[in-house]
Amino acid sequence: MLSTLEILRYPDARLHKVAKPVEVVDERIRDLSQAMLATMYDANGIGLAATQVDVHERLIVVDVSEERNEPLVIINPTIVWASEDTQMAEEGCLSVPGVYDGVERASEVHVQHLDAQGQLQTLQATDLLAVCIQHEMDHLVGKVFVEYLSPLKRNRIKTKLQKQLREDR
Ligand code: K2U
Ligand code: ZN
């Protein structure tokens, strides 16, 4: 079993760092993406951003397949087109355990990115894949989905998680 990485927990300040573009798609990046996929599957996630494992480079991994066998390694993603219409979806986050709430996102996005071989790809994403990619790309600019919620809800979540963190110690 590949080693899994530690996932930062909200409200850790490092979750708000802005990731830098990946300079070279090399073995280091390929090994990191494999460790991130192992971490994501182990945590029953369908996406994970490098920011969440305290690596501040523009790399996300995603697998929204039923069979959990269609991993995507998405490097230096850019949204080149987003639909006018939006969809409201229930979101969670591996960095904010136990919290789920509705967030409105573009229904469809076209994402240009490099793959694990450094090849330029364009991904046309709809439904859960579109939600997940937009959620992960937020992580790369230091944004956590609870920031879309009301200040009241966000403060309740912060208090609850800080209490949980103290108990876990
Ligand atoms: O922490 C993360 O970024 C992983 C996220 C990815 C995600 C967020 C919202 C909606 C879809 C995917 C999740 O924790 S993965 C677990 C999950 C799966 C489906 C719906 C909600 C949460
Ligand atoms: Zn998340």
Side-chain angles (χ1 to χ4, degrees):
M1 155 85 165
L2 267 167
S3 62
T4 56
L5 304 167
E6 186 192 343
I7 297 176
L8 298 177
R9 289 289 172 85
Y10 184 82
D12 189 313
R14 291 169 291 177
L15 284 171
H16 302 297
K17 290 175 77 169
V18 176
K20 292 186 172 45
V22 169
E23 299 293 333
V24 183
V25 180
D26 55 11
E27 275 319 294
R28 177 181 70 89
I29 291 293
R30 279 187 280 278
D31 291 348
L32 173 59
S33 57
Q34 289 309 309
M36 283 172 61
L37 281 165
T39 303
M40 179 192 80
Y41 289 125
D42 180 63
N44 295 319
I46 56 175
L48 189 67
T51 307
Q52 293 178 274
V53 292
D54 200 18
V55 174
H56 302 285
E57 296 181 64
R58 290 184 62 77
L59 163 62
I60 62 178
V61 295
V62 167
D63 186 346
V64 295
S65 68
E66 286 297 311
E67 308 291 310
R68 319 285 286 141
N69 60 357
E70 291 172 33
L72 292 172
V73 174
I74 299 174
I75 299 165
N76 296 343
T78 308
I79 293 180
V80 293
W81 179 86
S83 61
E84 288 286 301
D85 59 284
T86 61
Q87 64 184 351
M88 178 67 94
E90 183 80 348
E91 298 198 9
C93 184
L94 298 176
S95 296
V96 195
V99 173
Y100 296 89
D101 212 318
V103 177
E104 192 171 6
R105 307 247 191 210
S107 301
E108 180 173 346
V109 287
H110 296 177
V111 182
Q112 205 157 60
H113 68 92
L114 299 180
D115 63 17
Q117 282 65 44
Q119 298 300 312
L120 189 63
Q121 304 287 350
T122 301
L123 177 65
Q124 300 195 354
T126 56
D127 302 321
L128 186 56
L129 182 57
V131 174
C132 188
I133 287 178
Q134 291 174 82
H135 174 110
E136 302 311 335
M137 287 183 69
D138 271 356
H139 276 301
L140 297 180
V141 290
K143 204 173 171 75
V144 182
F145 89 104
V146 294
E147 291 160 40
Y148 292 100
L149 310 181
S150 69
L152 182 71
K153 275 190 182 176
R154 194 162 54 246
N155 287 332
R156 278 204 194 121
I157 291 163
K158 259 188 195 165
T159 310
K160 185 176 142 218
L161 289 179
Q162 275 165 337
K163 186 166 160 287
Q164 217 165 40
L165 222 58
R166 275 196 301 276
E167 279 157 11
D168 290 354
R169 278 207 186 106

